[in-house]
């Protein structure tokens, strides 16, 4: 099976640089899997789990947003925030949910009669809540 170069960076650090067989991406328009010889694509990320499959197994990362550039030979992800799934504690997850709730509240205040931005913020919050269910954490009420 052909490999592709995978790189994941966040503002804080480089999280991964490995030869992968596939990369599962939480795209804003739907989940997608990139493999070698994929058509060139650039997509925005929604909050979710990004999974990289490589010869040593697989690694999962929690991403809150950003961009992924896919080429025939590689995937480069520039994440707004990203952490290895194993590093996401209940405290970190609670803060991520709280940030999403705050963004939703600000959107409601700022865009009182404009549903688009409010809907986008609600979707962000919903996606963030779904991450918790996927990784076994639950948001505070």
């Amino acid at each position: 099976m052909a490999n592709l170069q995978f790189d994941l960076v966040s503002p804080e650090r480089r999280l991964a640089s490995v030869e992968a067989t596939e990369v599962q991406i939480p795209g804003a328009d739907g989940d997608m899997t990139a493999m070698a010889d994929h058509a060139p694509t650039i997509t925005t990320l929604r909050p979710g789990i990004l999974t990289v499959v490589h010869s040593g197994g697989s690694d999962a990362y929690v991403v809150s947003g950003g961009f992924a550039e896919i080429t025939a030979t590689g995937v480069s992800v520039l994440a707004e925030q990203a952490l290895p799934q194993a590093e996401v504690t209940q405290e970190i997850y609670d803060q991520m949910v709280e940030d999403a709730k705050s963004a939703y509240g600000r959107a409601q205040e700022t865009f009182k009669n404009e549903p688009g931005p409010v809907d986008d913020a609600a979707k962000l919050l919903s996606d963030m809540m779904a991450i918790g269910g996927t990784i076994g954490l639950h948001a505070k009420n």
Side-chain angles (χ1 to χ4, degrees):
M1 183 177 275
N3 288 340
L4 66 160
Q5 178 61 39
F6 171 73
D7 293 294
L8 171 61
V9 295
S10 71
E12 296 84 23
R13 62 183 170 158
R14 175 183 293 259
L15 288 115
S17 182
V18 299
E19 288 288 319
T21 55
E22 68 181 68
V23 181
Q24 299 164 7
I25 301 166
D29 293 326
D31 293 344
M32 60 191 312
T33 299
M35 300 174 83
D37 298 323
H38 194 284
T41 305
I42 294 177
T43 185
T44 54
L45 303 177
R46 65 171 169 66
I49 308 296
L50 185 143
T51 304
V52 183
V53 180
H54 50 80
S55 62
S58 66
D59 299 319
Y61 300 90
V62 174
V63 296
S64 65
F67 298 91
E69 179 182 19
I70 304 166
T71 66
T73 59
V75 176
S76 295
V77 176
L78 304 172
E80 292 174 5
Q81 181 181 15
L83 291 168
Q85 181 177 325
E87 290 182 16
V88 180
T89 63
Q90 184 67 51
E91 182 180 346
I92 291 170
Y93 174 67
D94 288 342
Q95 186 60 54
M96 293 171 82
V97 170
E98 191 56 42
D99 292 346
K101 285 180 180 178
S102 295
Y104 178 60
R106 283 191 307 275
Q108 287 179 310
E109 284 288 316
T110 305
F111 303 101
K112 291 186 188 285
N113 295 315
E114 300 176 48
V118 176
D119 292 345
D120 292 345
K123 176 73 171 112
L124 173 90
L125 177 57
S126 175
D127 288 341
M128 194 58 67
M129 301 288 283
I131 288 172
T134 302
I135 64 175
L137 299 175
H138 302 285
K140 296 185 290 186
N141 289 337

